[in-house]
Amino acid sequence: MNLIYERNRAVAVRPARPDDAEAIRAIRNHAIAHSTALWTQTPQSPAEGAAWLAAHLERGSAFVAEVEGEPAGFAVYGPWRNLDGYRHTVEDSVYVREGRHGLGIGSALLATLITSAREAGHHVVIADIEAENAPSIRLHERFGFHHVGTVPEVGTKFGRWLDLTIMRLPLT
């Protein structure tokens, strides 16, 4: 693959639609099976994927990146915690389809997500990232997120303990 050529491909980010559910579910299930980005080992069923996306669509907080008309990634934000005292704080999630990393897709998605969260009146975006996920940490740093702490051994997957890095971006 010629990355110079690949980087020149246009990335189009748009609001997600209900018919994106299967493409998003495939990206999520790949992350579940092959990474520590999602701390579960249980794949999403089609019904679970559709319901998960529907909640984000209702909030207007889901976006899809397309390259050459094909979904290449997605991003969402949602409540960081479910108590009303946290209602102005959201958590982001950005995922790029396998084989599409390094093409600017994550950056395009995160930029859109931040703009959307700001326009929706949110105060802070939190990124909870597995501490060894250096590409995600670097992506968030490029957008002004600051490291606020790492909590050791709060999750487990693939037979090992995982540390959680917490990053924060003020929107106002």
Side-chain angles (χ1 to χ4, degrees), residues 31-139:
I32 288 169
H34 300 285
S35 79
T36 56
L38 284 160
W39 292 9
T40 182
Q41 291 178 280
T42 305
Q44 254 187 344
S45 70
E48 291 166 334
W52 178 87
L53 179 58
H56 289 288
L57 294 176
E58 188 174 316
R59 278 192 298 275
S61 63
F63 302 89
V64 169
E66 291 183 341
V67 175
E68 298 178 344
E70 295 292 321
F74 74 92
V76 298
Y77 67 81
W80 184 52
R81 300 286 184 266
N82 288 323
L83 299 173
D84 66 349
Y86 297 105
R87 69 188 171 277
H88 302 291
T89 302
V90 293
E91 178 181 6
D92 77 326
S93 295
V94 177
Y95 290 88
V96 175
R97 192 175 85 208
E98 184 64 26
R100 294 298 202 169
H101 295 94
L103 305 178
I105 295 165
S107 293
L109 285 164
L110 186 54
T112 300
L113 210 62
I114 291 167
T115 298
S116 175
R118 184 175 283 125
E119 289 174 353
H122 295 292
H123 181 65
V124 171
V125 178
I126 297 291
D128 288 334
I129 304 169
E130 196 275 321
E132 292 183 10
N133 188 344
S136 184
I137 292 169
R138 282 193 307 271
L139 171 66

Side-chain angles (χ1 to χ4, degrees), residues 6-50:
E6 291 289 327
R7 287 183 193 276
N8 290 327
R9 289 186 178 179
V11 177
V13 178
R14 61 167 173 77
R17 304 180 299 249
D19 65 344
D20 292 316
E22 189 53 35
I24 290 172
R25 186 178 79 89
I27 294 168
R28 283 178 57 90
N29 281 347
H30 187 274
I32 288 169
H34 300 285
S35 79
T36 56
L38 284 160
W39 292 9
T40 182
Q41 291 178 280
T42 305
Q44 254 187 344
S45 70
E48 291 166 334

